[in-house]
Amino acid sequence: MESACCAAFGGETARAALSFAVLGILTVVAFMDIDTLEIYDRFPALLLVCGAAAQFVFPGPGIKSRLLGCVIVSLPMLLLALVVPGGFGGGDIKLMAAAGLFLGWQHTLLAMFFGILGGGFYGIYLLAAHKADKKDHFAFGPFLCAGIVLALLFGEPVLAWYCRFL
């Protein structure tokens, strides 16, 4: 993980160190969610602290983008969880709100896209292999964590590529 941060952010030591801390938190969250199907509140809180620090370390998104990132994914997730019980857990919602403060709104949308894509393929696999049925639940946090990591490390080139089609 350390080499990925250094490769992504070059000689920007503070940015690489903060990203490395975020990757460590996300790794713990992913494995904890797989094991317990829960994301403890302290981990999104740690991501919020990293998001606040990122405002000073990352030159990218401004405070408006970061604040919009807090709600652009987490609010629809909350509404969906209220309408469809068990749709998303509270930990998933808090995780994406905290990630939004760290990433900004564009990268948060990209992270959610990657997370939904990965979780969707995994769900299809579980159904096709008859390892689960439609009413079973699985940990979605690891897929959100993977999406956040991908958006953090590769978000700029992916968004630039996508914008060429608009």
Side-chain angles (χ1 to χ4, degrees):
M1 285 192 310
E2 183 180 353
S3 60
C5 290
C6 290
F9 304 116
E12 300 177 49
T13 307
R15 191 171 179 187
L18 186 58
S19 298
F20 184 67
V22 167
L23 293 179
I25 294 166
L26 292 174
T27 301
V28 171
V29 167
F31 283 113
M32 179 192 323
D33 198 21
I34 289 170
D35 190 40
T36 65
L37 293 178
E38 262 187 80
I39 298 173
Y40 298 140
D41 288 343
R42 67 185 72 122
F43 295 105
L46 286 171
L47 283 179
L48 280 173
V49 171
C50 292
Q55 177 63 31
F56 303 104
V57 175
F58 283 31
I63 190 67
K64 289 179 186 176
S65 175
R66 291 179 191 279
L67 292 175
L68 183 58
C70 285
V71 296
I72 199 162
V73 169
S74 60
L75 185 60
M77 286 174 75
L78 175 63
L79 294 174
L80 189 61
L82 293 173
V83 173
V84 180
F88 290 106
D92 297 332
I93 297 166
K94 294 171 201 168
L95 177 69
M96 290 310 293
L101 187 63
F102 185 77
L103 296 172
W105 75 270
Q106 292 175 320
H107 286 78
T108 304
L109 285 176
L110 186 61
M112 187 63 177
F113 172 75
F114 287 142
I116 289 173
L117 198 62
F121 281 127
Y122 182 67
I124 290 169
Y125 161 74
L126 290 176
L127 291 173
H130 302 289
K131 295 185 181 225
D133 62 21
K134 293 179 184 179
K135 294 187 182 211
D136 287 332
H137 291 72
F138 62 88
F140 192 56
F143 300 101
L144 293 175
C145 290
I148 294 166
V149 170
L150 290 172
L152 174 66
L153 297 177
F154 307 109
E156 289 300 323
V158 170
L159 290 173
W161 170 81
Y162 177 74
C163 287
R164 281 188 259 149
F165 294 106
L166 298 179

